[in-house]
Amino acid sequence: MAAPAVEATAATALRSVILRARKAAERVGRDPERVRVVAVSKTKPVSLIRQIYDAGHRCFGENYVQEFIDKAPQLPEDIEWHFVGHLQSNKAKTLLAGVPNLAMVHGVDGEKVANHLDRAVSSLGRHPLKVLVQVNTSGEASKSGVEPSSVVELARHVNMHCPNLVFSGLMTIGMPDYTSTPENFRTLSNCRAEVCKALGMSEDQFELSMGMSGDFEQAIEMGSTNVRVGSTIFGPRDYPKKST
């Protein structure tokens, strides 16, 4: 269980992040309501997530499938859950069956996982699932995601061949030390323009998931509609020895 002092600190931190996000949007003339703060709660206990929920927040993100399906049933059904990061295709149905209120997957990084998600949505009879295509904007071999040159092809596949998925936009992780943040964000914005042109989509309705604890304000200023903030809200993480 999380200590009361930790929980109180997290609620205060959440309010600060939301305020900072609103101000970042306003600085560039964007509607703050178009920016979603995804509180990334991976490795954190249910009690701490519940405290943030009780503070009024409803949008949370997880990225370990087993941890996710263990925690989600213990929490209120009106939470808007997001899966963040690489998803193994053979775990798509497990994830969707275990988290009925999953709202979005950031990020689909290939046709195989898109097809598995599409079939899983169909077999479970749930409503269509919003997905974001993950783009490797930093060129790091350790990062998941398609190369920028392949993003239109994957987006078109999801849009045309996965009727149970709603292609909603793009996602990137970027460099861990934030040294190339503007470049990463600019690359994703350029990819958005290419995809919108190719698919006939409006950029106004297109989601961008970029920005984390260290750079979410800059991400918002550069067009992000989803910022994934974890440690700034919940504190440092204790990572499991083996992730799933």
Side-chain angles (χ1 to χ4, degrees):
M1 297 287 287
V6 173
E7 294 182 350
T9 300
T12 300
L14 169 71
R15 286 190 286 270
S16 174
V17 166
I18 290 173
L19 180 61
R20 289 166 61 190
R22 291 188 68 87
K23 287 183 175 179
E26 289 168 353
R27 277 197 295 273
V28 291
R30 294 186 59 203
D31 179 2
E33 299 303 319
R34 282 277 294 143
V35 178
R36 182 185 294 114
V37 174
V38 182
V40 181
S41 49
K42 62 181 180 181
T43 80
K44 298 302 178 182
V46 167
S47 60
L48 187 53
I49 300 171
R50 182 64 197 236
Q51 201 275 341
I52 296 295
Y53 174 92
D54 289 343
H57 202 61
R58 293 294 180 270
C59 185
F60 293 85
E62 292 279 339
N63 75 343
Y64 300 131
V65 172
Q66 189 58 51
E67 179 187 355
F68 200 173
I69 64 177
D70 287 345
K71 287 157 70 170
Q74 302 178 57
L75 289 154
E77 293 181 359
D78 65 337
I79 284 179
E80 179 186 314
W81 285 112
H82 292 234
F83 183 86
V84 178
H86 175 68
L87 175 64
Q88 293 173 271
S89 57
N90 63 352
K91 294 184 178 177
K93 189 168 184 178
T94 300
L95 173 64
L96 290 179
V99 189
N101 47 334
L102 184 67
M104 184 182 286
V105 171
H106 316 215
V108 168
D109 58 9
E111 290 186 8
K112 184 178 179 181
V113 69
N115 293 341
H116 275 71
L117 282 169
D118 183 62
R119 287 196 292 269
V121 172
S122 177
S123 67
L124 292 167
R126 59 157 281 161
H127 55 82
L129 175 69
K130 292 182 179 180
V131 299
L132 305 177
V133 164
Q134 183 171 352
V135 185
N136 186 339
T137 56
S138 61
E140 296 169 278
S142 62
K143 290 285 195 307
S144 298
V146 295
E147 296 299 316
S149 60
S150 302
V151 68
V152 169
E153 183 182 359
L154 180 54
R156 184 178 282 119
H157 175 82
V158 175
N159 202 43
M160 295 181 65
H161 301 293
C162 299
N164 301 290
L165 304 182
V166 180
F167 171 68
S168 301
L170 304 175
M171 171 266 200
T172 193
I173 293 178
M175 298 284 276
D177 60 1
Y178 307 113
T179 52
S180 66
T181 282
E183 183 182 343
N184 288 323
F185 295 169
R186 201 168 291 117
T187 296
L188 200 69
S189 294
N190 291 340
C191 287
R192 172 180 60 184
E194 292 175 18
V195 171
C196 285
K197 182 178 180 181
L199 300 186
M201 296 178 68
S202 166
E203 289 193 22
D204 290 340
Q205 301 303 315
F206 198 92
E207 300 264 10
L208 287 184
S209 173
M210 60 186 194
M212 297 184 284
S213 284
D215 56 8
F216 71 89
E217 289 159 299
Q218 187 172 22
I220 292 168
E221 291 173 0
M222 296 182 72
S224 183
T225 62
N226 295 267
V227 289
R228 311 177 306 267
V229 184
S231 57
T232 297
I233 295 171
F234 292 102
R237 302 192 188 286
D238 295 319
Y239 283 97
K241 291 181 180 178
K242 183 179 180 182
S243 63
T244 57

